[in-house]
Amino acid sequence: MFSRVLIANRGEIALRVLRACKSLGVETVCVYSEADRDAIYLRMAEETICIGPPPSGQSYLNIPRIISAAEIADVEAIHPGYGFLSENAHFAEVCRDCRIGFIGPPPEVIAKMGDKVSAKACARRAGVPLVPGSDGLVESEQDALAVAHRIGFPVIIKATAGGGGRGMRVAHNDVSFLTGFAAARTEAEAAFKNPGVYIEKYVEKARHVEIQILADAHGNVVYLGERDCSIQRRHQKLVEEGPSPFLDEDLRARMGQAAVALAKEVGYVNAGTIEFLVDADRNFYFMEMNTRIQVEHPVTEEITGLDLVALQLRIAAGEPLPFKQEDVKLRGHAIECRINAEDPDDGFKPRAGLIERLFVPGGRNVRWDSHVYAGYRVPSNYDSMIAKLIVWGEDREQAIDRMRRALGELVVEGVPTSASLHRKIMSNVHFLRGNATTSFLDDYFTR
Ligand code: ADP
């Protein structure tokens, strides 16, 4: 195992990685921007290094500064968390050149899977079903429109470099298609410096179901069941649960095996997630792969009893997976609600500011993954997520009851949060029946 690791991230995931390091007896070095100098978790690290001003380009996304910090602090490896540099193949390559371990897959694999068109080509080679769509990128309006007519409306235009729900447009007819095509390209160029887009059939009444996998450097790959992330706002996840209320054993096994086949096809190493859409007839289609730990990983931890971040560290240190597929047993049901500092009554606008009072829910099987405290100022420079509330129950009903109780206990004063929306979702009859699809919020709640 490593003796010293640098955490190249902030907020709840920095603390999450720090906890995993402590559990393995690994020393931690935390880097922080000037906006995060009051972060409490910095007190728990063996060493802390300020890497620059608040804008992430000058701190958490600044490769030379992070590498210098790693060299000064003399760490053996870097954990990138999620977001920021976690799916940056160049960063992983620089780490390798500097002989610093990168706790994630090799740069070549990140590059292959980070581009959605190239990821789809890999999935096709692995025999994983794909959503019907364009064969790669589409350049001109005419070509794009021809594809849309061939597969039939509605279609979705997606940025090959996309992420975080950006660079996507749904179109139902020629007019909205042509506007959407131009808008998606412009947005993709602005956000990802890559205007490349492709087209897929828009799968209606779909569920977003993703498979967590783990792969070691010795060729062992396992899948750890699924997470249902259908409850989304503007293609961004809000609630995640596992197991999916829509899957049975047979479909779970087929999706799990497809995920493993893809991981093997690309020579995957470390923790990864393969995202699928499942349609009303239970057909599943590959969407994309995330080559990092995900926000919603605690759902899988709660139903498998595994520490995924600790396993990431062990895999990166060269250890073989300590269990086999047949040892993976899913138990009970877990739900996660993302608590964002944003105002559900004002178009979900992110709201920075001072958390004046905070009461955190607790009790048996209630987990609160968060870095915030009363007196903490939510900075405006980063993502608005301030906490993840996770519960576990023997079955789905008990998990929902627990989540309702936990949300009822939560007090955050000073900034509005998404908790009020979660309280409503947890009582929505369609959610209770396990019928939520990706259009759930649009269908039952105003945008
Ligand atoms: P990102 O990388 O930006 O998160 P994804 O490819 O993961 O983008 O898609 C995000 C969400 O967009 C999905 O969870 C789903 O709700 C919706 N989506 C993407 N592709 C399709 C499709 N072909 N049909 C229906 N919904 C889709």
Side-chain angles (χ1 to χ4, degrees):
M1 181 44 62
F2 306 117
S3 53
R4 205 168 160 81
V5 162
L6 182 139
I7 303 169
N9 214 299
R10 64 175 300 280
E12 77 83 20
I13 194 64
L15 176 54
R16 172 70 191 87
V17 176
L18 194 146
R19 285 174 173 151
C21 289
K22 295 247 174 218
S23 75
L24 294 169
V26 175
E27 288 185 1
T28 51
V29 178
C30 281
V31 294
Y32 63 96
S33 78
E34 284 161 14
D36 286 329
R37 61 167 76 254
D38 292 332
I40 290 275
Y41 57 82
L42 296 177
R43 304 183 190 180
M44 303 163 201
E46 268 71 27
E47 191 173 343
T48 61
I49 300 176
C50 183
I51 47 167
S56 32
Q58 296 174 55
S59 50
Y60 300 108
L61 284 173
N62 191 299
I63 295 176
R65 289 187 184 168
I66 290 173
I67 295 291
S68 307
E71 286 181 332
I72 290 165
D74 197 17
V75 299
E76 293 152 88
I78 297 181
H79 194 302
Y82 52 66
F84 295 123
L85 295 172
S86 61
E87 292 182 288
N88 185 314
H90 173 62
F91 178 59
E93 206 177 314
V94 174
C95 287
R96 186 159 69 188
D97 292 347
C98 297
R99 297 181 183 277
I100 300 168
F102 176 80
I103 302 172
E108 297 75 20
V109 177
I110 301 178
K112 243 190 254 173
M113 301 319 264
D115 180 275
K116 294 187 185 187
V117 163
S118 124
K120 284 185 86 164
C122 297
R124 182 178 292 121
R125 279 199 300 279
V128 178
L130 301 176
V131 189
S134 59
D135 196 12
L137 295 176
V138 279
E139 305 289 342
S140 74
E141 274 187 0
Q142 294 89 314
D143 290 353
L145 204 53
V147 175
H149 288 165
R150 176 169 58 79
I151 58 181
F153 289 113
V155 300
I156 182 165
I157 306 150
K158 299 172 73 171
T160 189
R166 284 178 303 171
M168 268 186 282
R169 286 288 185 288
V170 180
H172 290 86
N173 53 54
D174 285 13
V175 177
S176 63
F177 181 82
L178 291 175
T179 334
F181 183 71
R185 283 178 69 91
T186 313
E187 195 174 313
E189 171 68 45
F192 314 111
K193 298 192 184 76
N194 176 353
V197 297
Y198 62 104
I199 294 162
E200 273 178 0
K201 177 85 185 165
Y202 184 73
V203 186
E204 292 178 287
K205 300 281 166 234
R207 283 164 175 86
H208 173 121
V209 180
E210 56 187 35
I211 304 285
Q212 176 71 55
I213 61 122
L214 284 177
D216 66 19
H218 310 277
N220 304 303
V221 188
V222 295
Y223 64 92
L224 306 176
E226 78 282 6
R227 297 181 289 258
D228 190 318
C229 313
S230 300
I231 299 187
Q232 308 177 343
R233 185 181 164 274
R234 300 212 170 139
H235 309 303
Q236 291 240 56
K237 299 160 190 167
L238 260 183
V239 178
E240 300 100 346
E241 65 177 309
S244 165
F246 195 60
L247 259 57
D248 54 26
E249 278 306 322
D250 172 63
L251 184 52
R252 175 169 304 117
R254 284 192 287 125
M255 290 176 71
Q257 284 153 14
V260 168
L262 175 56
K264 288 193 169 157
E265 162 73 32
V266 298
Y268 201 83
V269 181
N270 217 287
T273 299
I274 291 115
E275 297 189 335
F276 296 100
L277 283 171
V278 182
D279 71 13
D281 299 323
R282 291 175 201 273
N283 299 303
F284 68 91
Y285 309 96
F286 171 78
M287 223 174 0
E288 67 159 342
M289 177 165 194
N290 288 310
T291 56
R292 54 170 161 81
I293 194 76
Q294 280 189 297
V295 172
E296 59 272 25
H297 75 275
V299 167
T300 301
E301 296 188 321
E302 294 305 313
I303 58 174
T304 58
L306 298 168
D307 182 330
L308 292 185
V309 180
L311 284 161
Q312 283 195 292
L313 283 145
R314 293 171 69 164
I315 289 168
E319 293 181 26
L321 278 175
F323 54 84
K324 296 198 162 51
Q325 186 65 54
E326 55 266 32
D327 304 322
V328 178
K329 298 271 182 290
L330 304 185
R331 202 180 142 242
H333 198 94
I335 306 176
E336 173 181 278
C337 288
R338 298 189 187 196
I339 311 293
N340 299 331
E342 57 189 28
D343 194 349
D345 298 324
D346 184 15
F348 294 89
K349 267 199 209 116
R351 291 275 288 272
L354 181 70
I355 298 182
E356 289 158 6
R357 284 178 112 190
L358 177 69
F359 183 80
V360 170
R364 200 161 164 235
N365 298 315
V366 174
R367 171 172 169 183
W368 175 257
D369 275 22
S370 172
H371 60 294
V372 307
Y373 52 89
Y376 174 82
R377 190 171 285 281
V378 182
S380 57
N381 313 79
Y382 313 110
D383 188 85
S384 63
M385 193 179 78
I386 55 168
K388 307 186 304 203
L389 178 57
I390 306 111
V391 300
W392 182 89
E394 295 284 348
D395 53 26
R396 187 168 189 264
E397 208 179 5
Q398 193 184 50
I400 294 172
D401 279 349
R402 271 201 184 125
M403 183 57 90
R404 252 198 235 128
R405 196 254 300 154
L407 286 165
E409 288 177 13
L410 174 65
V411 177
V412 183
E413 284 177 14
V415 291
T417 76
S418 50
S420 53
L421 175 62
H422 287 305
R423 291 185 189 108
K424 292 181 201 151
I425 293 173
M426 290 300 132
S427 299
N428 177 282
V429 59
H430 305 282
F431 172 74
L432 296 180
R433 290 185 187 139
N435 286 339
T437 67
T438 54
S439 61
F440 173 83
L441 276 197
D442 284 346
D443 291 349
Y444 306 115
F445 299 85
T446 45
R447 267 166 183 259

